[in-house]
Amino acid sequence: MKNMNEIPYKIYLTEQEMPKEWYNVRADMKKKPAPLLNPGTGQPMTAEELNGVFCEELVKQELNNDDRYIEIPKKIRDFYKMYRPSPLVRAYCLEEKLGTPAKIYYKYEGNNTSGSHKLNSAIAQAFYAKDQGLKGVTTETGAGQWGTALSMACAYLDLDCKVYMVKVSYEQKPFRREVMRTYGASVTPSPSDTTAVGRKILAEHPGTNGSLGCAISEAVETAVSNDGYRYVLGSVLNQVLLHQSIIGQEAKIAMDKYGIKPDVIIGCAGGGSNLGGLIGPFMGEKLRGEADYQFIAVEPASCPSFTRGKYAYDFADTGQVCPLAKMYTLGADFMPSPNHAGGLRYHGMSPVLSELYDQGMMEARAVEQTSVFEAITEFARVEGILPAPESGHAIKVAIDEAKKCKETGEEKTILFGLTGTGYFDMYAYAAFNDGKMTDYIPTDEELEASFAKLPKIGE
Amino acid sequence: MKNMNEIPYKIYLTEQEMPKEWYNVRADMKKKPAPLLNPGTGQPMTAEELNGVFCEELVKQELNNDDRYIEIPKKIRDFYKMYRPSPLVRAYCLEEKLGTPAKIYYKYEGNNTSGSHKLNSAIAQAFYAKDQGLKGVTTETGAGQWGTALSMACAYLDLDCKVYMVKVSYEQKPFRREVMRTYGASVTPSPSDTTAVGRKILAEHPGTNGSLGCAISEAVETAVSNDGYRYVLGSVLNQVLLHQSIIGQEAKIAMDKYGIKPDVIIGCAGGGSNLGGLIGPFMGEKLRGEADYQFIAVEPASCPSFTRGKYAYDFADTGQVCPLAKMYTLGADFMPSPNHAGGLRYHGMSPVLSELYDQGMMEARAVEQTSVFEAITEFARVEGILPAPESGHAIKVAIDEAKKCKETGEEKTILFGLTGTGYFDMYAYAAFNDGKMTDYIPTDEELEASFAKLPKIGE
């Protein structure tokens, strides 16, 4: 193997080297992301309006476009030490298998029980809720990655955690549900009779499987109508990207330590929490004109918000209870095909990343899921990690780029984000192993019909 | 939290500090473990006899009672770098939760895709098979931890891997099966029509659920009757304890680096692979009179080979195709209650550990599974790791010892082995969460009936 004595297989920072501040990319953006709008008035949401739903300190972070660095409270840094620093891994075995001159690195966020990077923001949001003297938080979860992370964080801080889990996942994927219960969370299949919106939907659609949009509505209603509760969200929001900047900062410190400069940085993109966190500090350098990098967002061809969506104001949730956000969107009613295995099912995209994409600061690619599973199977066999299908989108494009280098002879340095593990996605792996996995790409007509329902706000 | 600035939350060795040799505890034992016997002749198994079933280099290791250190081949050390060194974690959060003056450390082996320490020996056995020019290896697996580890190792070395999986697990626990298939292994539900012994059992017991004993017999038959194949095993054998010594050595190097000396060392015990590996280098010091430690083996009350078994020669497998081993045993026909959630279901115990236990060098405790699940739930909520039920046995006793220190005021240093993660054990967690978990302890009459069938060999 190449250079194994120079650059270790895994680079771990010491606890002293871990960042003490989050990095806020908005501070380095000349044109800021568009503000959230009140759907009733069409005016930017104020802190007062947001404080009813979110924790106060998090609202400040959400609206803070100016401070480049925001201190990480010590209690959160102590929690981070339970599973961070996460390793920056040199993919020597994959490079050898591909026979590529490229140098491939990945920042691996799967080494914690929640199984993904979601914990980075979950502990921050839970901490501020506790610090505000709240009793608990509410949230929704689909397959359960975010709900698991939040349950872990709440257990650590002794905070109540109410999770609305899409009913079909609650019933068909009981394992993450049990992880959440083990961490003391109450998990309610949605729609439920515990909320007005849930009862209404149950009355109109008896026997429904539920949807993420409905679960969001129930979680928000529960937060707003219970004293001492607030609603928390695992992606899309500015505050989440801020917390996730720990990923990119650790990666950058580790690379700087060994004099490594990535040429290409690749992340999977659903709501944008991992991608935004990984590329943030590097994007800051690019925005300040200090360095140049190629950034690639990878999304599923079945839910292609960057590559085929519109940049427009849209509802953040199907239930239309949340503020409007300007983002690349497929329309709030867009539902990816049910045969789509990975997460990355959100109809929109982080407003920060949407604005950066619109400014031409990054690229995006859409990939089909069978090609993703081919890539993760190849990766798993040589690198010894069983990736989540979400992470597989980044792996697929990293392998594509490394193969290009083999053709051209370029010795590019590639960095990608490996967001989590696939232990709870074995049904999808089984479908692939059995040759039963199929792809779905929405038609132009489907997307046009969805775009026609976008609210007529903003430009 | 105590001392967090002195001793880090996690101690990682550098790759340079990782051991380059395995430690062979037998070299330091004055009275050696009893040899394996040929069940036909009653004589010690020779290398020639063993070479038909096992790889040659592994047979040498199995019979080597003299060399204290055996070099780890470079290719295995490179593979170890994919997931090792494993962290030695200071359980600051658990200590705080318990309010104990004890200092608790655990060596965490769950940070690899196979989810347990089994990979340490799987890669070694696969390497020697490849090095001997073999085409592949065969093995059996129950719930699938060992099969998963072996599949990963074989994928890395491009070696064929045939796994016989107990039929009921194959059908009811499809997830590990799919992990193995993703790593390219062929997984056959046992009993199967691919072997003579399988066909015989299917004819006699149509619709049987299968058993580990039957799966072993099929795996051995397949190895012996196919050119270029050998059989491999994940526990009990001397060679497996040798490979697993990497656990204890890393723990000892990390502790020495910070001047930490454990008073009590605790490990869960099924066949003994983790326990033997963890305590090995410390036991060496004790055997040489250089240091003293308290060692505690923890086993399930439902399968109590140390605490209620007999030290005698017994068949290593239910099918009686393997050599006889002298060990603490419940009798080769003993079957733990099906409601028993964890692994640690083997009727016997590593001959090395059995001999050390017989010499009074270590203690053993049996614990019931509801108390294990109470302990792992408490542990998970503060330490952020979801333990395997097997590992939970060690956690339970570590917590008991820490609570004793709270009463006595003793500032003991406790080290335990956390062998793996519980992601594929969520059915058991669900039973506990739902209050439906029960305990089972075999009666004296059951054990006496089982002991009556022990072969009349040896003393």
Side-chain angles (χ1 to χ4, degrees):
Chain A
M1 278 179 212
K2 314 181 273 192
N3 307 328
M4 196 133 175
N5 294 325
E6 289 171 36
I7 309 278
Y9 187 84
K10 281 176 292 185
I11 304 176
Y12 279 106
L13 302 181
T14 66
E15 289 176 5
Q16 288 71 33
E17 291 169 322
M18 283 174 65
K20 294 188 174 55
E21 298 166 319
W22 290 303
Y23 167 70
N24 181 8
V25 72
R26 286 166 284 160
D28 283 315
M29 291 170 72
K30 276 181 200 139
K31 188 180 171 203
K32 308 291 181 190
L36 298 173
L37 297 187
N38 181 320
T41 65
Q43 294 300 307
M45 293 289 288
T46 64
E48 290 67 33
E49 289 171 324
L50 290 167
N51 282 342
V53 181
F54 299 110
C55 301
E56 287 170 24
E57 197 60 34
L58 293 166
V59 169
K60 281 186 205 160
Q61 293 178 358
E62 190 65 27
L63 299 176
N64 186 337
N65 284 342
D66 302 315
D67 295 322
R68 188 179 285 164
Y69 293 103
I70 293 175
E71 194 187 342
I72 307 175
K74 181 167 182 309
K75 184 116 187 172
I76 298 177
R77 282 190 282 127
D78 281 349
F79 185 89
Y80 279 167
K81 287 180 190 171
M82 284 173 57
Y83 69 102
R84 308 200 67 83
S86 73
L88 178 74
V89 186
R90 173 74 183 266
Y92 283 111
C93 303
L94 180 64
E95 291 172 22
E96 193 178 32
K97 174 85 186 301
L98 298 173
T100 177
K103 299 175 190 73
I104 308 174
Y105 294 86
Y106 54 94
K107 181 71 170 164
Y108 178 46
E109 294 288 317
N111 267 356
N112 70 72
T113 284
S114 81
S116 81
H117 68 292
K118 294 286 182 188
L119 196 53
N120 300 328
S121 185
I123 185 60
Q125 296 191 49
F127 167 80
Y128 289 117
K130 185 78 179 177
D131 203 46
Q132 193 176 324
L134 297 177
K135 286 184 213 155
V137 292
T138 72
T139 200
E140 78 291 333
T141 203
Q145 228 171 37
W146 165 247
T148 306
L150 189 67
S151 305
M152 282 183 67
C154 288
Y156 178 77
L157 294 169
D158 200 17
L159 198 66
D160 189 39
C161 180
K162 295 184 193 297
V163 180
Y164 287 89
M165 186 171 188
V166 177
K167 192 177 173 192
V168 61
S169 297
Y170 181 94
E171 287 168 357
Q172 291 182 359
K173 298 182 180 175
F175 297 113
R176 280 204 186 270
R177 176 187 85 203
E178 292 307 327
V179 179
M180 290 184 258
R181 291 179 71 203
T182 296
Y183 282 99
S186 75
V187 186
T188 307
S190 170
S192 74
D193 60 5
T194 66
T195 64
V197 64
R199 287 188 293 272
K200 181 161 178 284
I201 290 169
L202 282 173
E204 286 169 6
H205 307 280
T208 175
N209 279 331
S211 72
L212 210 50
C214 171
I216 293 177
S217 304
E218 289 204 82
V220 172
E221 179 184 324
T222 302
V224 172
S225 58
N226 280 278
D227 267 356
Y229 283 79
R230 291 293 184 283
Y231 169 71
V232 296
L233 185 66
S235 192
V236 183
L237 296 175
N238 299 339
Q239 57 183 277
V240 177
L241 266 70
L242 176 73
H243 306 148
Q244 295 294 358
S245 69
I246 189 90
I247 304 172
Q249 287 185 98
E250 279 186 11
K252 190 159 186 327
I253 294 167
M255 293 189 122
D256 285 349
K257 204 169 151 178
Y258 285 87
I260 307 158
K261 189 186 166 296
D263 299 297
V264 191
I265 305 176
I266 301 166
C268 61
S273 68
N274 159 70
L275 179 68
L278 174 69
I279 70 175
F282 298 96
M283 181 64 82
E285 286 191 310
K286 185 166 175 171
L287 287 164
R288 297 193 301 271
E290 294 166 9
D292 195 19
Y293 303 99
Q294 181 186 12
F295 299 106
I296 307 175
V298 191
E299 59 187 14
S302 57
C303 191
S305 42
F306 266 144
T307 51
R308 296 177 67 199
K310 281 221 183 317
Y311 189 35
Y313 268 104
D314 194 7
F315 291 100
D317 64 312
T318 321
Q320 308 191 349
V321 298
C322 296
L324 294 162
K326 187 176 177 191
M327 54 187 177
Y328 277 84
T329 180
L330 300 166
D333 283 340
F334 178 82
M335 289 287 289
S337 161
N339 84 343
H340 171 52
L344 314 179
R345 304 172 72 89
Y346 188 62
H347 66 276
M349 181 58 67
S350 142
V352 170
L353 294 178
S354 292
E355 178 56 33
L356 289 166
Y357 183 64
D358 193 57
Q359 293 176 17
M361 297 299 289
M362 50 189 284
E363 307 165 26
R365 292 189 200 160
V367 294
E368 295 181 39
Q369 68 177 351
T370 45
S371 71
V372 166
F373 274 81
E374 281 161 17
I376 54 184
T377 299
E378 181 170 22
F379 180 86
R381 290 186 184 182
V382 292
E383 287 289 322
I385 287 172
L386 191 81
E390 292 86 343
S391 321
H393 290 72
I395 294 172
K396 159 68 181 156
V397 170
I399 290 177
D400 286 349
E401 290 294 307
K403 284 181 179 168
K404 267 189 228 164
C405 288
K406 188 177 177 182
E407 286 167 23
T408 63
E410 283 179 290
E411 294 186 17
K412 279 190 185 173
T413 297
I414 298 167
L415 167 64
F416 72 88
L418 207 171
T419 55
T421 51
Y423 302 119
F424 296 103
D425 300 289
M426 294 317 298
Y427 281 122
Y429 272 96
F432 178 74
N433 290 337
D434 290 334
K436 290 180 182 161
M437 179 165 276
T438 54
D439 293 310
Y440 181 77
I441 299 176
T443 63
D444 289 340
E445 291 70 29
E446 281 177 89
L447 292 182
E448 285 307 322
S450 186
F451 295 149
K453 292 186 220 160
L454 287 173
K456 311 297 173 207
I457 299 174
E459 55 270 279
Chain B
M1 278 181 211
K2 312 181 277 194
N3 306 327
M4 195 134 176
N5 293 326
E6 289 170 37
I7 309 277
Y9 186 85
K10 282 175 293 186
I11 304 176
Y12 279 107
L13 303 180
T14 64
E15 289 177 4
Q16 288 71 34
E17 291 169 324
M18 284 174 64
K20 294 187 175 56
E21 297 167 318
W22 289 304
Y23 167 70
N24 181 8
V25 72
R26 285 166 285 161
D28 283 314
M29 292 171 71
K30 276 179 199 139
K31 188 179 170 207
K32 308 292 180 189
L36 298 173
L37 297 186
N38 181 320
T41 65
Q43 294 301 306
M45 292 287 288
T46 62
E48 290 66 34
E49 288 171 324
L50 290 167
N51 283 341
V53 179
F54 298 109
C55 302
E56 287 171 24
E57 197 60 34
L58 292 167
V59 169
K60 282 186 203 159
Q61 294 179 359
E62 191 65 28
L63 299 176
N64 186 338
N65 285 343
D66 303 313
D67 294 323
R68 186 180 286 165
Y69 292 102
I70 293 175
E71 193 188 342
I72 307 175
K74 181 168 182 307
K75 183 118 188 171
I76 298 177
R77 283 191 279 127
D78 281 347
F79 185 88
Y80 279 166
K81 287 181 190 172
M82 283 173 57
Y83 69 102
R84 306 199 70 83
S86 74
L88 177 74
V89 186
R90 172 74 183 268
Y92 282 112
C93 302
L94 180 64
E95 290 173 21
E96 192 178 32
K97 174 86 186 300
L98 298 174
T100 177
K103 298 174 191 75
I104 309 174
Y105 294 85
Y106 54 93
K107 181 71 171 164
Y108 178 45
E109 294 288 318
N111 266 356
N112 70 72
T113 285
S114 81
S116 82
H117 68 292
K118 294 285 182 189
L119 195 54
N120 300 328
S121 185
I123 185 61
Q125 296 191 50
F127 167 80
Y128 290 117
K130 186 77 180 181
D131 203 45
Q132 194 176 322
L134 298 177
K135 285 184 213 156
V137 292
T138 72
T139 199
E140 76 292 331
T141 202
Q145 227 171 39
W146 165 246
T148 305
L150 189 67
S151 304
M152 281 183 66
C154 287
Y156 179 75
L157 294 169
D158 199 18
L159 199 65
D160 189 40
C161 180
K162 295 183 193 296
V163 180
Y164 286 89
M165 185 170 189
V166 176
K167 193 179 173 190
V168 63
S169 297
Y170 181 93
E171 285 168 358
Q172 291 181 1
K173 298 181 179 175
F175 297 114
R176 280 204 186 272
R177 176 187 85 203
E178 292 306 327
V179 179
M180 290 185 259
R181 290 179 72 204
T182 295
Y183 281 99
S186 75
V187 187
T188 306
S190 170
S192 74
D193 61 5
T194 66
T195 64
V197 64
R199 287 188 293 272
K200 183 162 176 283
I201 290 169
L202 281 174
E204 287 168 6
H205 308 280
T208 175
N209 280 330
S211 72
L212 210 50
C214 170
I216 294 177
S217 305
E218 290 203 82
V220 172
E221 179 184 324
T222 302
V224 172
S225 58
N226 279 278
D227 268 356
Y229 283 79
R230 291 295 184 280
Y231 169 71
V232 297
L233 186 66
S235 193
V236 183
L237 296 175
N238 299 340
Q239 58 185 273
V240 177
L241 266 70
L242 176 73
H243 306 148
Q244 295 294 358
S245 70
I246 188 90
I247 303 173
Q249 287 186 97
E250 280 186 9
K252 191 159 184 332
I253 294 167
M255 294 189 120
D256 285 348
K257 203 169 150 179
Y258 284 87
I260 307 158
K261 189 186 166 297
D263 299 297
V264 192
I265 304 176
I266 301 166
C268 61
S273 68
N274 159 70
L275 179 69
L278 174 69
I279 70 175
F282 299 95
M283 181 63 84
E285 286 191 310
K286 184 165 175 169
L287 287 164
R288 297 192 301 270
E290 296 166 7
D292 195 18
Y293 303 98
Q294 181 186 12
F295 299 106
I296 308 176
V298 191
E299 59 187 15
S302 57
C303 191
S305 41
F306 265 142
T307 52
R308 297 176 68 200
K310 282 222 182 320
Y311 189 35
Y313 268 104
D314 193 8
F315 292 100
D317 63 312
T318 321
Q320 308 191 350
V321 297
C322 296
L324 293 162
K326 187 175 177 189
M327 55 187 177
Y328 276 85
T329 179
L330 299 166
D333 283 341
F334 179 81
M335 287 287 288
S337 161
N339 83 345
H340 171 51
L344 313 179
R345 305 172 70 89
Y346 188 62
H347 65 277
M349 182 58 67
S350 140
V352 169
L353 294 178
S354 293
E355 178 56 33
L356 289 166
Y357 183 65
D358 194 58
Q359 292 177 17
M361 298 297 287
M362 51 189 280
E363 307 166 26
R365 291 190 200 160
V367 295
E368 295 181 38
Q369 68 177 352
T370 46
S371 70
V372 167
F373 273 81
E374 281 161 16
I376 53 182
T377 299
E378 181 170 22
F379 180 87
R381 290 187 186 182
V382 292
E383 287 289 323
I385 288 172
L386 190 82
E390 292 86 342
S391 322
H393 290 72
I395 294 173
K396 159 70 180 152
V397 169
I399 290 178
D400 286 349
E401 290 295 307
K403 284 180 178 167
K404 268 190 227 162
C405 289
K406 189 179 178 179
E407 287 166 22
T408 63
E410 283 179 292
E411 294 186 18
K412 279 190 186 173
T413 297
I414 298 168
L415 166 65
F416 72 88
L418 207 172
T419 55
T421 50
Y423 301 120
F424 295 103
D425 300 290
M426 295 317 299
Y427 281 122
Y429 272 96
F432 179 74
N433 290 336
D434 290 334
K436 291 180 183 161
M437 179 165 277
T438 55
D439 292 311
Y440 182 77
I441 300 175
T443 64
D444 289 341
E445 291 69 28
E446 281 176 273
L447 292 183
E448 286 307 324
S450 187
F451 295 149
K453 294 187 218 160
L454 287 172
K456 311 297 173 207
I457 299 173
E459 54 271 280

